[in-house]
């Protein structure tokens, strides 16, 4: 056996929390992640910074070759001894070709595991308020492909059997053939008024649902311009939707926010947005990389000077730097100052007493922290202070990949920057990733909170749509802002 390991992981239908614990664990271990178009790109943020990502999205006309390419990629990396995750939308075994891919690994004696996922047909149906079975309405269900496989371009399906033998039928990849599907079902015995439901982007905040009967659904869906990814559900259970719909009825359903930095202070904001139906993608876009320090400089700089700590992180990074450079904190002669009360408390919590930093004439402070925050405060001090840069910010491929797809595939419609550092993080991330700010702004709007944040965005010529001073009632304020902007 080779030492490499392959995990086929079901990513679930869309909602990022619908991946299994086991699947997530495999993802976090991966050296290589090979992923499909129909996974929520935000899942990619939770993998190792140095993981290699391979996208095998839609390339029409190259179908056969593509599958071979994917299989070859999996093999190559596994044979090099890597841990490979093949991340598939929904469940890997439901129209996911896991059989073929695993078979090849078995032939090559490569070890693998298959981790099931929640399939779209069941999850999207339930998020639309329809249970796939019900004691009184349906004792059986079937998943059926609507993908064309016959030469005449229509799906090859045993219509008489499924029409008569199954109570709830879920079609995948079938919206394009919806008219034909409903006609065939009626022709083979289903009543015209059997309930029919189409759910697009199921379990995402942008989920859309069209309800009708076999007689009406095709026209309704055409009018609503629903396209893939969508499932079709046929059966009496559909009529339960009126009673059970729960997901797409919230005040912020259909809204999605990207927040460029993960911060404790944002926790409440994020949970409120989520509870009200929005998708929230909150993630540290930049990664801190420790800067090598010259010990002499460190001692020179820190003797008899005023060190100004700019953030909680800067306190811990400083202690780490002192220690890993073979120094003892007691060798540092400086006065410690804190940029704000929070940082002051952090210093206190590690046994260091510090006053708050107040700018005085004749003072020569040293700013201690990460590159980005130092730049920000330098600006405010007119570039007068010396610096001790402990970390520099870099970007990881996984974050660039995830960000680009979130924006391009329109999973995000709003970037929410609630403080100046978030704004700077976003700007630097876009700069370092080589993404065009204009392309991003063509697709999403930026909503900004607070005057300071506004200044940063203005300074970098990033147009924003709204500046919220404070958020007494986050949901109604944000909801209104987004809605007003959409209708104007
Ligand atoms: N293995 C996947 C299905 C892959 S086939 C699973 O178990 O879910 C791709 C089809 O799945 C799409 O054409 C669409 O019909 C369906 N699908 C996938 N994700 C979906 C979603 N979030 N909402 C609705 N349908 C979805």
């Amino acid at each position: 056996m080779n030492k490499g390991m392959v995990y086929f992981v079901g990513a679930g239908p869309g909602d990022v929390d619908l991946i299994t614990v086991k699947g997530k664990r495999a993802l976090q271990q991966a050296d290589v992640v090979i992923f499909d178009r129909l996974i929520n790109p935000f899942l990619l943020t939770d993998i190792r910074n140095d993981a290699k990502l391979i996208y095998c999205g839609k390339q029409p006309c190259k179908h056969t070759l593509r599958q071979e390419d994917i299989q070859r990629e999996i093999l190559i990396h596994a044979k090099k001894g890597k841990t490979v995750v093949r991340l598939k939308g929904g469940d890997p075994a439901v129209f996911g070709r896991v059989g073929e891919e695993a078979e090849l690994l078995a032939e090559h004696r490569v070890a693998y595991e298959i981790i099931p996922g929640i399939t779209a047909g069941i999850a999207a149906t339930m998020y639309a308020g329809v249970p796939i079975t019900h004691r009184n309405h349906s004792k059986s269900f079937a998943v059926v492909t609507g993908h064309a496989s016959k030469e005449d371009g229509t799906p090859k399906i045993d219509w008489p059997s499924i029409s008569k033998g199954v109570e709830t039928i879920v079609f995948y990849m079938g919206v394009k053939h919806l008219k034909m599907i409903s006609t065939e079902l009626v022709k083979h015995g289903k009543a015209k008024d059997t309930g029919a439901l189409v759910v697009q982007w199921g379990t995402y905040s942008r989920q859309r649902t069209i309800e009708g009967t076999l007689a009406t659904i095709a026209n309704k869906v055409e009018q609503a311009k629903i396209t893939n990814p969508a499932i079709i559900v046929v059966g009496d259970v559909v009529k339960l939707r009126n009673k059970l719909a729960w997901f797409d009825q919230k005040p912020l359903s259909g809204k999605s926010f990207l927040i460029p930095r993960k911060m404790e202070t944002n926790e409440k904001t994020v949970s409120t947005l989520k509870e009200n139906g929005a998708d929230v993608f909150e993630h540290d876009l930049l990664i801190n990389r420790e800067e090598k320090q010259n010990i002499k400089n460190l001692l020179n700089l820190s003797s008899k000077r005023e060190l100004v700590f700019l953030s909680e992180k800067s306190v811990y990074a400083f202690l780490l730097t002192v220690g890993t450079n073979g120094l003892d904190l007691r060798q540092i002669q400086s006065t410690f100052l804190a940029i704000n009360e929070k940082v002051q408390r952090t210093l206190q919590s590690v046994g260091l007493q510090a006053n708050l930093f107040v700018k005085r004439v004749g003072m020569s402070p040293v700013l201690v922290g990460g590159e980005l925050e130092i730049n920000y405060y330098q600006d405010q001090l007119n570039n007068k202070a010396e610096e001790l840069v402990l970390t520099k910010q870099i970007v990881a491929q996984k974050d660039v990949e995830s960000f680009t797809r979130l924006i391009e595939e329109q999973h995000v419609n709003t970037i929410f920057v609630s403080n100046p550092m978030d704004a700077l993080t976003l700007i630097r991330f876009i700069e370092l990733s080589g993404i065009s700010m204009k392309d991003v702004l063509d697709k999403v709007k930026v909503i900004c909170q607070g005057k300071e944040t506004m200044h940063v965005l203005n300074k970098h010529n990033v147009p924003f749509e709204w500046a919220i001073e404070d958020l007494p009632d986050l949901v109604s304020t944000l909801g209104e802002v987004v809605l007003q902007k959409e209708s104007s």
Side-chain angles (χ1 to χ4, degrees):
M1 276 277 181
N2 292 294
K3 275 197 285 340
M5 180 70 193
V6 179
Y7 295 97
F8 294 95
V9 177
D15 181 336
V16 280
D17 292 332
L18 290 181
I19 186 172
T20 62
V21 175
K22 191 168 182 180
K24 189 146 197 165
R25 209 175 286 147
L27 204 52
Q28 285 164 342
Q29 287 170 9
D31 300 308
V32 181
V33 179
I34 304 178
F35 65 102
D36 280 342
R37 192 176 66 99
L38 278 184
I39 60 141
N40 187 330
F42 195 62
L43 284 171
L44 302 174
T45 56
D46 206 20
I47 64 182
R48 287 203 338 243
N49 290 339
D50 59 347
K52 182 182 164 78
L53 284 160
I54 301 170
Y55 175 57
C56 47
K58 204 163 97 182
Q59 274 181 299
C61 320
K62 281 195 182 173
H63 209 78
T64 343
L65 185 66
R66 207 187 88 220
Q67 187 59 28
E68 280 167 14
D69 284 344
I70 296 169
Q71 292 182 309
R72 209 185 49 221
E73 285 287 346
I74 300 176
L75 256 186
I76 290 172
H77 293 288
K79 286 194 164 176
K80 280 187 196 157
K82 305 278 185 208
T83 298
V84 181
V85 163
R86 173 77 175 101
L87 190 63
K88 287 169 171 288
D91 181 273
V94 180
F95 308 124
R97 307 187 79 162
V98 78
E100 295 155 64
E101 291 176 19
E103 215 171 287
L104 185 81
L105 295 185
E107 274 168 31
H108 286 261
R109 299 172 58 76
V110 173
Y112 64 87
E113 268 187 41
I114 304 177
I115 303 173
I118 302 182
T119 189
I122 294 178
T125 312
M126 196 67 261
Y127 268 49
V130 175
I132 202 154
T133 69
H134 190 287
R135 252 160 73 93
N136 305 329
H137 302 279
S138 170
K139 293 195 159 48
S140 58
F141 73 85
V143 289
V144 178
T145 175
H147 189 66
S149 53
K150 254 172 68 183
E151 268 129 36
D152 64 0
T154 58
K156 194 178 167 190
I157 292 164
D158 179 354
W159 294 110
S161 301
I162 62 156
S163 302
K164 295 203 180 74
V166 186
E167 282 161 304
T168 308
I169 313 169
V170 186
F171 291 91
Y172 288 60
M173 303 173 278
V175 236
K176 226 170 64 189
H177 303 298
L178 183 54
K179 194 155 201 96
M180 185 272 294
I181 289 172
S182 38
T183 311
E184 290 292 330
L185 288 173
V186 172
K187 205 160 96 191
H188 290 92
K190 283 255 179 254
K192 267 189 174 169
D193 65 351
T194 310
L197 188 74
V198 169
V199 189
Q200 184 193 32
W201 288 114
T203 80
Y204 287 88
S205 160
R206 68 203 284 203
Q207 171 174 307
R208 277 176 78 199
T209 306
I210 303 290
E211 190 182 340
T213 62
L214 280 180
T216 61
I217 193 77
N219 278 343
K220 283 187 170 180
V221 164
E222 200 183 317
Q223 270 167 20
K225 296 197 170 69
I226 300 271
T227 52
N228 248 331
I231 46 140
I232 307 160
V233 192
V234 176
D236 282 344
V237 281
V238 166
K239 292 175 181 156
L240 295 167
R241 177 173 152 74
N242 290 338
K243 281 193 209 146
L244 298 179
W246 59 279
F247 174 69
D248 44 10
Q249 326 261 319
K250 297 183 176 174
L252 294 180
S253 291
K255 308 286 166 271
S256 47
F257 300 88
L258 186 139
I259 299 178
R261 249 177 3 136
K262 211 172 163 80
M263 291 207 314
E264 262 171 54
T265 44
N266 280 346
E267 261 168 33
K268 180 106 202 336
T269 311
V270 171
S271 59
T272 316
L273 291 173
K274 279 188 175 172
E275 277 157 25
N276 282 280
D279 274 340
V280 185
F281 305 111
E282 185 204 22
H283 180 65
D284 288 320
L285 290 177
L286 294 173
I287 292 165
N288 290 322
R289 196 188 53 198
E290 231 179 280
E291 276 288 282
K292 276 220 158 58
Q293 302 295 337
N294 176 321
I295 303 182
K296 250 196 184 151
N297 274 354
L298 202 63
L299 273 175
N300 277 345
L301 208 59
S302 62
S303 62
K304 303 183 194 85
R305 300 289 296 273
E306 288 150 312
L307 299 188
V308 186
F309 290 86
L310 300 179
S311 62
E312 269 180 275
K313 274 192 187 140
S314 72
V315 174
Y316 298 120
F318 178 76
L319 293 176
L320 189 73
T321 301
V322 169
T324 51
N325 280 293
L327 300 177
D328 188 290
L329 193 59
R330 285 163 292 192
Q331 289 170 267
I332 311 278
Q333 306 291 312
S334 337
T335 310
F336 290 172
L337 297 172
I339 198 80
N340 57 37
E341 284 172 10
K342 200 164 166 217
V343 178
Q344 190 177 38
R345 282 196 297 276
T346 308
L347 282 161
Q348 220 168 37
S349 74
V350 293
L352 296 167
Q353 302 303 333
N355 287 327
L356 284 178
F357 169 63
V358 187
K359 206 172 132 191
R360 274 182 281 106
V361 189
M363 188 184 200
S364 51
V366 181
L367 300 182
V368 182
E371 190 188 15
L372 211 58
E373 57 197 3
I374 288 184
N375 288 350
Y376 176 64
Y377 288 107
Q378 282 290 27
D379 234 26
Q380 306 208 330
L381 299 169
N382 302 323
N383 293 316
K384 290 276 168 52
E386 271 193 71
E387 305 175 354
L388 177 56
V389 182
L390 296 173
T391 51
K392 282 208 167 154
Q393 277 78 31
I394 54 166
V395 290
Q397 189 208 352
K398 57 157 191 139
D399 294 325
V400 178
E401 194 76 52
S402 163
F403 181 89
T404 314
R405 296 202 177 283
L406 283 171
I407 306 276
E408 269 176 13
E409 292 163 16
Q410 294 172 2
H411 290 297
V412 167
N413 42 44
T414 306
I415 299 182
F416 180 43
V417 280
S418 62
N419 60 63
M421 285 315 293
D422 281 13
L424 283 170
T425 301
L426 175 73
I427 292 160
R428 176 63 64 86
F429 172 80
I430 288 178
E431 214 172 75
L432 289 175
S433 318
I435 301 172
S436 137
M437 181 64 101
K438 188 181 166 300
D439 288 353
V440 172
L441 295 170
D442 280 348
K443 293 240 160 64
V444 296
K445 58 171 96 53
V446 176
I447 290 185
C448 137
Q449 184 184 0
K451 277 212 181 76
E452 304 263 296
T453 319
M454 209 167 87
H455 289 317
V456 172
L457 292 175
N458 274 334
K459 191 170 164 244
H460 290 86
N461 300 317
V462 178
F464 50 87
E465 302 256 342
W466 207 274
I468 308 166
E469 259 316 301
D470 55 6
L471 295 175
D473 179 358
L474 181 81
V475 173
S476 67
T477 318
L478 268 186
E480 264 167 39
V481 170
V482 176
L483 290 174
Q484 275 177 22
K485 283 292 152 187
E486 268 168 12
S487 59
S488 65

